[in-house]
Amino acid sequence: VKGVVSKLEPVPLQEERLVRGLSWRPLLVLLACASYVASMTFRYVHPMHNRMMEVEEAMCKGGTTNFIVARQPVLGFAIVVPTNDVNKTTPPILDDTYLKRITMDVAFPSDNPYPHD
């Protein structure tokens, strides 16, 4: 092995063009990465951000925010339940539970302010 290794010659290094003392390859990789991040930002992030702003506008500004949305884990149904404003100084009502509220909304769908289509 030593004989083979001693006969090896170093591979000559190709000269690269330099831009102000720097190799052009790292600059090209940096430019490619920055372009990729910018394109993904404009292609995916900005439209998603605008959509979330529209959702916030529809759900929270000018409308009611007194509701809870949950997903039933077994069947996958979305459940929307209106809530009441509760004064923070009064103790919570212990007999007004989430389960009783859902039961009432299912039993009397005409009273539900969030009916199904």
Side-chain angles (χ1 to χ4, degrees):
V1 175
K2 288 183 182 182
V4 172
V5 171
S6 65
K7 292 180 182 179
L8 293 177
E9 295 181 12
V11 178
L13 182 63
Q14 296 178 354
E15 290 188 26
E16 294 185 18
R17 294 182 184 223
L18 300 177
V19 178
R20 295 190 181 191
L22 298 174
S23 173
W24 62 273
R25 288 182 188 178
L27 293 175
L28 184 63
V29 169
L30 180 64
L31 180 64
C33 289
S35 299
Y36 178 77
V37 169
S39 68
M40 291 298 116
T41 300
F42 287 112
R43 189 171 185 184
Y44 295 107
V45 175
H46 281 297
M48 190 180 304
H49 177 264
N50 293 339
R51 176 71 176 141
M52 290 298 106
M53 295 305 289
E54 290 172 7
V55 168
E56 179 188 24
E57 181 77 26
M59 292 182 74
C60 300
K61 296 198 167 104
T64 181
T65 58
N66 298 330
F67 61 91
I68 298 172
V69 178
R71 187 175 149 271
Q72 204 279 346
V74 176
L75 300 175
F77 292 118
I79 301 170
V80 178
V81 180
T83 59
N84 297 326
D85 287 330
V86 176
N87 188 351
K88 299 289 182 185
T89 60
T90 61
I93 303 169
L94 298 177
D95 63 346
D96 188 18
T97 65
Y98 181 61
L99 179 60
K100 289 181 182 180
R101 185 61 188 245
I102 292 174
T103 305
M104 182 188 74
D105 288 341
V106 171
F108 305 105
S110 61
D111 296 338
N112 189 350
Y114 306 104
H116 295 286
D117 292 328

